[in-house]
Amino acid sequence: MSSNIVKIALRNITRQKKRSILLGSAITFGVMIIILLNSFTAGLTETIQENFTSLMGGHVYVNGTEVTSSGKVVHTIGDKASLDKALEKVQSDIKEIHVRTQASQGEIIFGSKSTRMLMYGVDWEEEKLLKKTLILKEGSFDALFDPRAVIIPETVAEKLGVKAGESVLLRFDTVTGQRNVGDFVVGAVSKETSGFSFVSAGYADITYLGTLLGLGEGEYQYVNLYLNDIHRMDAVAAELTSELKRLALVDIPDEKDTENNAHQKSMGFFMGGSTKTEDPWEGTKFSVSTLNDVMEPVLQMINILNAVALTLFIILLTITMVGLLNTFRMVLIERTREIGTLRAIGMHKKDIRNIFLFEALFLSLAGALAGLVIALIISTGVGAIAFKPESSLGFFLLNRHLLFITTFPGVMKVVVILSGMTLISVYLPARKAAQLKVADALRTQY
Amino acid sequence: MDNVLLKIAYRNIWKHKTKTMIIGILIALGILLLVVGNSFMDSAAAGLRKTYIENFTGDIVITSSDLKNPSMFMDGIMSDPDSAIPLIPNEPEIESYLAEQKFVDAFNPQIAGAVGIRHGDDQGFSLIFSFNPERYQGVFKNNIDLIKGSFLKEGEEGIVLSSDTVKRIVDDGGAEIKVGDKILLTGINNLTGTKIREVPVKGIFRFKNDSPQLRLLSFLDLTNMRIINGMLKNKVSEANLSQNEKQLLGQIDENSLFGDEEGDSGIVSDTSEDAGTIDYLSILGDTSKRELYRETDPDSWQYMVVKLAPGVNPSRAIKTMNSWFNEHGIDAKAHSWLEGAGAIAKMSNTLKIVFNILILIIAVVGVIIIMNTLVISVTERIGEIGTMRAIGARKSFVRSMITLETLMITLIFGLIGAAAGIIITAVLGKVGFTASNDFLQVLMGGKVFHPVVSVSAVILSLIIVGGIGIFASLYPVSVALKISPVKAMGEN
Amino acid sequence: MRKKALHILFTLLLMAGTAGLNALTLDEAHDILNTIDESRNLTTTDFSAVMTMISEDPDKGVEKMKVQQFRRDDKDMFLMLFLEPESKKGQGYLRVDDNLWFYDPESRKFNHTSMKDSFGGTDAKHSDFRVLSLAEDYKVTTITEGKLGKFSVYILDLEALNDEVTYPKEKLWITKDTNLVLKSEDYSGTGRLMRTSLYPKYTKVSGKYIPTVMIFIDDLIEGKKTQISMTNISTKTLPDTIFTKSYVERVNR
C-alpha cells in the first residue's frame, strides 16, 4: 500500500510538471542560497581565523624561561618532559603543535641599510598553515630547502631595497645576551595582507635560527598550539596551566593586571631579550597565553559572522516554508475533488495525508539536491577567482581566494532541517485534506 | 472599462480569500523584512558616519603622499619608532585652495602624537590630537561630551583628557585627576629628543559616539604638541665639524692612523692636572642660540580633515583634489575617510558590505517565492480564465485583470507590511540594542543602537513592492495568456 | 748516533727559539688585561670630560653630539649634559641614588627614565656605561706579536669566561711598552667580525691612560661608524653639588 502512496505522490509531482518545477525551483534556490551562505560564512570564519592565527602562530602559546648559573633569565623550554606530559592532557583539543624559536629585537642588514625586525624560526615541514596564508610577492617556497633562507615582509624588503635571492644579515642577541649575527638569503618576500602591520615578521629556519640564538640541538623557545575549536582556547589554556603547575613552575599573571596590562603583556611577549633576576628558580618556568589576549576583535568579528549566518538561515527557511505551506494549501483546494474520489474508492485518511507529505518531501529533496549542485558549482567558480590581496577584502581572503567550506554534515543538516520543516508545514494542509468529508469533497467546485 | 476591470479584480480578491491572504501575508512579510532591514542598514550607516566622519575623519583626509598608512591613529607609525608622520607640504597653499572650492564645506588641519602622562607619582598614556580649537569645533560640531571643565581655547596651553585615560590611571590606584591639576607629558622625537611639558588639565571629555580607539584620544594645545613632536620653525643646521673630526670621516687607514713615530710620545699626550679650574655654572656656554630651536612652526600640520558640502560625491572630490595636487607639484594626497579611520573601521566596513549583499539575496529569494505563489494561483484559475476568453474577453483584458489584481494585492499587503515594519522598527528603536562588542559598536555608532525608521527605506520598499507586483505578474500573465479557451475549459 | 744527537739539539734549539718568540706567557698576558682594566676604570677618583660623538650613518648622514660628563663611579653617580646639537643643549641625564632623571631645559622639568632606554637615541645604551673588566670576563687564548702601523704590538685573542659580555670573542692590539689598547675587534660566538674599535690617541691623567679619540666601526653595516673624542679631561674631585637636580637647573639658567 505504501508503495502505492509513493507512486501516487510521484505521479502527482510529474502530473503538474509546471507547478512542481516552480515550487521545486523555489526550494532549489532557497537551498542553494542557504548552502552558499553557510559555506561562505564557514569559509570566512576559517579564513579570518587562519589568517590571524597564522600571523600569531597559533591559538595557545607556551613559552618557558630558565635561569642560568650566572642568574640570567633565558627564554627556552628545557623541561620538555613536563610540557609533553601536560600537553597529553589536552591532546584531544589539539589539531597541530608547532615549536618555534624567535629573535626578538633583531636588526636586518642589507649593504648600508638596516631596519629592526622580529624573526621567527619555524619548521617549514610542519607549518603548512603558515605557508598557506603567506602570500609571496616574489621568490618562492622552494627556496626554503636552504636553511639560511628567510621570508621577509614587503615593507622590510622595500626599506632595505632587497630582492629575493640576495643575501642579508641579521644582528641580534643570543638568549644569554651576546651579540650575534647570522647570514641569511632572502628566499621570498611576503605581501602585507592583513592591515595588521604591527605583527609583520620574518620567518627563518627553526634550527638555523636556534643555533644562532645559542640554543642546543632540537631546543626551542615557544610551543604554539592550534586547536580544533577556537572557542576552547581559554579552557585549554586553563587546563594546561593547572597541569603544568602540578609538574613544574608556572608564571601566572596577576589578577589585577589582566584587564589593563593584558595587552602590554602580550606585546612584551614579542620583546624577549635577556634580563637578570634577583630570585632565581630551578628548571623551566612556563607561561601560557592565548590568542584571546591579543586578538579579541577578531573573535568578535567571527561571532558576528556566525550570528549573521544563523539569522539568515532562519529567515530564508521561514520564507521557503511559508511558500511551501501556501502552495500546498492551494494544492489542497485544487485537488479536493480528486481527494473525494480517492476516498470514495476506499483510501484511508492516513494514506491521503501521506500522499501529500511524500509529495512535499520528494519535491523538497529533489529541490535540495539541485540546490546543492548549483551551490557547489557557484562556490567552486567564485572560489577560483584570485582577488588582489591588498583590496579591502584583504582580510577575508585566504591566499588570494574567498574560501567556501561545504561539509557533508553541514549539507545534511540543511537537508534534514528542510525536510523536517517541509513535513511540518505541509502537515496542516495534508491533515485538512485527509479530514475532508467524501461527499463534500466530491461536490466541491473550485 | 477600467471600472469593470477594477470590479472584477476586487471580486476575484474577495472570492479567493484564502489565496489572497496567503499571497498577501508573504508580501507583507517580505516588505516588513525590507523595511526593518533597510532601516537597520541606514541607521548603521549613520552610525558609522557618526563614529568616524562626524567624530574625527571628516569625509576626506589629506596627508603627505609620503605617509604610507594614512590611519589617523598612526597604525603604521607605532610599529617603527624611527619614523615620524611627515608634514603636509605647502600647507597654506592647500588651505587657500580648499577655501575656494564650492564642494568643500569646512576643513581643519591637525597634528597627532603620543605622550606618557605623569600626574604626581601616577603614570598613564594617551594618544593626542592637536588643532586650533575653534576651527576644530567648526568642523566637528558637538561630537564630544565635556564631563568636567572646559574645552581648549585658542592660544591657551592645556590638555583635555579622555575620560578613559583618567579612568585607567585611577584604576591603577592613582589619585583622581581634577581640572586645574598640572600634569607632565613626555614624548620623544627624532629632532629634539625627549621633551617634557607641564600642562594644566583643562577638562575631561568623552566622545558622544566612542569606539575603543577614540577612547585613547586626548586633546592638547598646538604649541605643546609641536614641541613634543619637534615640529620646529628653524631647521637644525648640519653638524659643525672640526678639521680633525672631518679627517676621521669615511674610510679609515689604520697604517696612517698609527703611522706616527713609535712610542708613547706618538699617541699619548699629557694632561696637566690643574689645567685651569672649571667654571661649573657656565658649562653650557652661549645659550642664546638654543632659543632658535624652541620656536615651533605654525604651518606644520600632519592631517587635513575635510568636510564636504552636502550631496557631494566624496570619490569625485578626492579625484579633483589629487589632480590639483599633481598639477601643482604638491606631494600631498587625499584619502577617503575610511583610509583615515584605521583597521577596525576597515573591517567593519567590509562587514557592512557583506550585510548589504545578504539583504539583497534575501530580497531576491522573496521575489522568486512571491512570483512562484502568484503563478500557482494563476494556474489554478486556468478554467476560469478559459471561460472568460471563450465568452469573448480579449488577451489585453485578461492581462490587465491579472496585473491589476496582483498590484492591488501587493499594494494593500505591501502597505500593511510596511506599516508593521515601521511599528516594529520604532519599538526596537525605543528598546534599543546593546552592542556586545567593538565591531557592532562601530557599526551602530555607539554602545546602544537605536534603529530609526528610515523614510528612504519605506519608500524604497514600496517601490520594490510595486516592482515585485508588476514583475511577479509578468510570468503568471504569460502563463494565463497561453491558455487556449477550449483546452482550458476542458481541463476543468 | 750522531745523527740522533744532532736531532735532539736541533729540537732543543727550536724549542728555545719558540720560547724566545713567545716572550709573553698566557698568565702574563692576563696580567696585561688587569693593567688595562686598572688604567681604564676610574673607581677611586671623580672624572669629568667633554665627549664629542660623531656618528656616520649611510641613511641619516653625519650627526654630532657633544656631552659634558661628570662621573663618580664608586658611588654610581653621573651627570651628562648635552652641549650640542643646539636643539638639545642643556638636556641632561642625572644618575643618583639608583634613579635616572632626565631634564628638559625648555620646560625646566625632570622625569624618570629607565636605564634600559637607549642613550640619547644612539646605539649606545646606558647599560654600556657599566664598569669594564676584561680580566674578569675574558681569558687569553693566543698571543702573537705584530705591527700596527708603526707600533710593535701584542695581538691577544680573548674568549669570554661568562655570559655577561656582549661579544664572546675579542682580539686586542696592545702596545708592547705601555700596554695601551690601540685596536680591538669584537667577534660573535660564530667567529664573525662585528665591530672594530680604534684608539689612536691617549692622554695620561694622574698616572692613568685614557683614550681621547675612539673610533667604532660597524663591520656589518657599510659606512656606519662612530667617532668619540674626549677633551677637557680632569680627575679632580668634583663638588658634591654637581650631582644634584638643582645644579642641572642652575646651569641652564
Side-chain angles (χ1 to χ4, degrees), chain C residues 22 47 52 132 136 151 172 182 189 208 212:
Chain C
N22 236 353
F47 178 80
T52 310
L132 256 176
E136 252 179 60
F151 290 83
L172 298 180
L182 296 186
K208 298 210 169 190
T212 51

Side-chain angles (χ1 to χ4, degrees), chain B residues 10 12 15 17-18 35 41 64 67 101 171 180 219 268 315 346 356 360 366 376 384 431 436 449 456 462:
Chain B
Y10 185 72
N12 273 341
K15 192 179 146 201
K17 247 185 273 170
T18 347
V35 169
M41 286 327 292
S64 155
L67 187 60
Q101 305 311 309
D171 284 354
F219 300 142
V268 179
S315 48
K346 266 193 198 163
N356 280 336
L360 195 77
I376 291 167
E384 190 186 324
V431 179
S436 53
F449 180 51
S456 68
L462 288 179

Side-chain angles (χ1 to χ4, degrees), chain C residues 112-163:
Chain C
H112 262 295
T113 168
S114 150
M115 276 297 263
K116 268 194 164 175
D117 287 350
S118 140
F119 180 73
T122 66
D123 269 349
K125 292 197 174 121
H126 292 306
S127 50
D128 288 351
F129 293 90
R130 75 185 183 93
V131 177
L132 256 176
S133 179
L134 286 171
E136 252 179 60
D137 293 339
Y138 291 95
K139 70 166 193 225
V140 181
T141 54
T142 60
I143 309 155
T144 45
E145 293 184 31
K147 282 243 171 195
L148 182 65
K150 282 192 173 163
F151 290 83
S152 304
V153 289
Y154 296 121
I155 303 166
L156 308 184
D157 283 302
L158 310 186
E159 239 179 67
L161 292 166
N162 55 41
D163 57 12

Side-chain angles (χ1 to χ4, degrees), chain A residues 291-303:
Chain A
L291 182 64
N292 256 342
D293 302 346
V294 194
M295 222 33 229
E296 189 68 14
V298 170
L299 287 176
Q300 291 173 355
M301 188 134 173
I302 290 171
N303 287 341

Side-chain angles (χ1 to χ4, degrees), chain B residues 15-189:
Chain B
K15 192 179 146 201
H16 305 283
K17 247 185 273 170
T18 347
K19 264 174 282 175
T20 309
M21 281 307 287
I22 290 166
I23 298 170
I25 289 171
L26 255 184
I27 291 170
L29 208 71
I31 296 306
L32 184 145
L33 264 174
L34 271 177
V35 169
V36 175
N38 277 327
S39 291
F40 268 56
M41 286 327 292
D42 281 0
S43 308
L48 212 58
R49 231 191 120 76
K50 267 189 191 155
T51 356
Y52 289 100
I53 297 177
E54 283 166 22
N55 247 357
F56 74 101
T57 62
D59 295 292
I60 293 174
V61 179
I62 300 174
T63 65
S64 155
S65 40
D66 290 341
L67 187 60
K68 277 246 166 95
N69 182 351
S71 162
M72 294 176 71
F73 290 112
M74 305 170 285
D75 293 359
I77 302 293
M78 296 299 225
S79 57
D80 188 355
D82 278 347
S83 53
I85 302 165
L87 303 183
I88 302 178
N90 308 60
E91 200 271 342
E93 230 175 294
I94 294 176
E95 280 206 32
S96 54
Y97 163 74
L98 290 175
E100 281 167 20
Q101 305 311 309
K102 280 213 181 84
F103 61 84
V104 172
D105 181 39
F107 55 94
N108 179 49
Q110 61 183 54
I111 306 171
V115 294
I117 295 173
R118 182 178 281 274
H119 174 250
D121 283 331
D122 311 324
Q123 294 189 50
F125 169 83
S126 186
L127 291 179
I128 300 281
F129 276 4
S130 181
F131 37 69
N132 177 318
E134 272 148 45
R135 284 181 70 178
Y136 177 83
Q137 284 178 314
V139 176
F140 299 107
K141 297 179 181 87
N142 211 12
N143 63 337
I144 59 159
D145 279 326
L146 262 177
I147 298 167
K148 281 177 201 165
S150 59
F151 200 66
L152 296 173
K153 281 188 194 68
E154 164 110 60
E156 251 182 41
E157 294 198 359
I159 189 167
V160 184
L161 284 171
S162 88
S163 59
D164 195 61
T165 300
V166 174
K167 187 177 169 286
R168 270 181 290 139
I169 292 174
V170 174
D171 284 354
D172 270 358
E176 192 62 51
I177 298 179
K178 290 192 262 323
V179 173
D181 283 2
K182 294 207 165 169
I183 58 173
L184 283 188
L185 305 179
T186 309
I188 300 178
N189 69 73

